[in-house]
Amino acid sequence: FVQALINPTGPAGRCVNKVRDSEVVLFVSPFVLTEIREIHLKLPAKYGVTAIQTARLADAMESFGKSLTQIVKVFEYSRDPDDAHYINLALAADAKLIVSRDRDLLDLMSESSDGKIFRRRFPTLQILDPVQFLTMV
């Protein structure tokens, strides 16, 4: 979502457009929507992302996405505890993909020990960056 706000025509922006065009299904939760609404607070001013832009994106994702509120904590991730929510949301939705540029999430697909354990535990869940996702669809 950060990259989509910074560069709406880039790969992440095109992923967001696929949600808006109903080409893919996005699952969101109150946690995810709050994170989107707070992006402008975390980015340096040089990117020019405003509270209005983040609110509009969150509203659009809430409108076009499918919202889940009951997210069971199946997965914990000490490396980045907030990232665990995205995994748990995907599991609650029985999703097959998470699209992210977050290195901590993408590393779960690596050959690291954490990655091997994750893939063994959740063999049907893939984490792709936006370019990989766009290539796939």
Side-chain angles (χ1 to χ4, degrees):
F1 298 113
V2 172
Q3 291 293 317
L5 285 164
I6 292 171
N7 182 7
T9 61
R14 292 198 317 265
C15 290
V16 166
N17 288 337
K18 289 198 174 291
V19 173
R20 287 186 173 133
D21 295 341
S22 300
E23 292 179 38
V24 296
V25 177
L26 171 72
F27 292 94
V28 295
S29 67
F31 176 88
V32 171
L33 296 171
T34 297
E35 280 216 324
I36 295 170
R37 286 187 172 93
E38 293 175 353
I39 289 171
H40 70 283
L41 300 172
K42 299 174 184 176
L43 281 179
K46 70 180 181 179
Y47 292 111
V49 174
T50 67
I52 292 170
Q53 289 172 303
T54 57
R56 283 185 184 149
L57 179 60
D59 291 347
M61 295 303 96
E62 185 173 26
S63 173
F64 293 106
K66 294 186 185 257
S67 187
L68 298 179
T69 56
Q70 302 297 320
I71 313 298
V72 177
K73 292 182 181 179
V74 175
F75 176 74
E76 292 185 22
Y77 198 27
S78 60
R79 183 168 159 181
D80 190 339
D82 284 349
D83 287 348
H85 180 81
Y86 290 89
I87 302 294
N88 290 315
L89 173 60
L91 295 171
D94 197 27
K96 303 299 179 226
L97 294 172
I98 295 174
V99 179
S100 179
R101 284 195 186 270
D102 185 284
R103 178 54 43 204
D104 292 323
L105 284 173
L106 291 168
D107 280 351
L108 292 172
M109 295 288 99
S110 74
E111 290 301 316
S112 69
S113 59
D114 283 345
K116 288 177 183 177
I117 292 167
F118 179 84
R119 288 192 324 277
R120 224 176 298 125
R121 191 168 171 204
F122 307 107
T124 62
L125 184 58
Q126 288 187 317
I127 304 169
L128 305 174
D129 69 32
V131 173
Q132 292 169 318
F133 172 72
L134 291 168
T135 301
M136 176 186 276
V137 298

